[in-house]
Amino acid sequence: MGSLAPARLLATWFGAGLAPKAPGTWGSVAALPFAWAIQYWGGSAGLVLAASLLFVAGWIASDRLVSATGIQDPQIIVVDEVVGQWLTLACGPLSIPAYLVGLLLFRAADITKPFPASWADRSVDGGLGVMLDDVLAAVYSGLGLWLIDRVVGL
């Protein structure tokens, strides 16, 4: 797996996806400190930019792992959760309550996959399919985080 190592490292978000239980949740949790640093230094726009760049890199890395394993969406791939989590958090303030709410909202949206995330999960193959359903789930969780912040303040 030598030439696949960099793709595997990124796709598993430095090993978070290798957790034996709930790798997607661990990927989302592992995204939080990176998101905090990026949002602290670059604001929400910096977090969206970072998520966009990681989306492209994650697409490539995920495509390599999908091809190598023959599994359409291997559970060890969690870079998609990182991108979705970052996009969600970009819709709220830099605060611990907002990050906790954003984590819960994104995990709920990623697990339930409301349309069109469910369509992307079933219909789009390869690395793009791995990444796309989480970005679409982040639209719902980001909107939810934004609304909650506007109503109660986070």
Side-chain angles (χ1 to χ4, degrees), residues 8-148:
R8 182 179 165 95
L9 188 65
L10 181 65
T12 64
W13 197 245
F14 310 103
L18 302 176
K21 293 192 190 255
T25 298
W26 285 111
S28 288
V29 169
L32 299 178
F34 292 90
W36 188 279
I38 295 165
Q39 194 171 20
Y40 179 82
W41 292 106
S44 291
L47 198 50
V48 170
L49 176 61
S52 300
L53 295 172
L54 187 58
F55 177 87
V56 174
W59 177 357
I60 294 165
S62 296
D63 210 41
R64 300 229 21 231
L65 259 66
V66 166
S67 294
T69 64
I71 301 169
Q72 189 52 42
D73 191 352
Q75 284 194 331
I76 65 168
I77 297 177
V78 296
V79 68
D80 52 331
E81 274 82 8
V82 174
V83 169
Q85 191 65 70
W86 288 2
L87 291 172
T88 299
L89 296 173
C91 297
L94 181 64
S95 72
I96 291 173
Y99 270 52
L100 291 175
V101 170
L103 174 66
L104 294 173
L105 289 173
F106 177 69
R107 291 309 304 142
D110 187 33
I111 291 166
T112 61
K113 298 199 185 313
F115 183 83
S118 57
W119 167 83
D121 187 51
R122 289 188 316 270
S123 305
V124 183
D125 293 333
L128 178 60
V130 170
M131 301 298 294
L132 187 59
D133 68 300
D134 289 71
V135 169
L136 295 171
V139 171
Y140 290 98
S141 54
L143 179 60
L145 180 60
W146 181 84
L147 285 171
I148 291 168

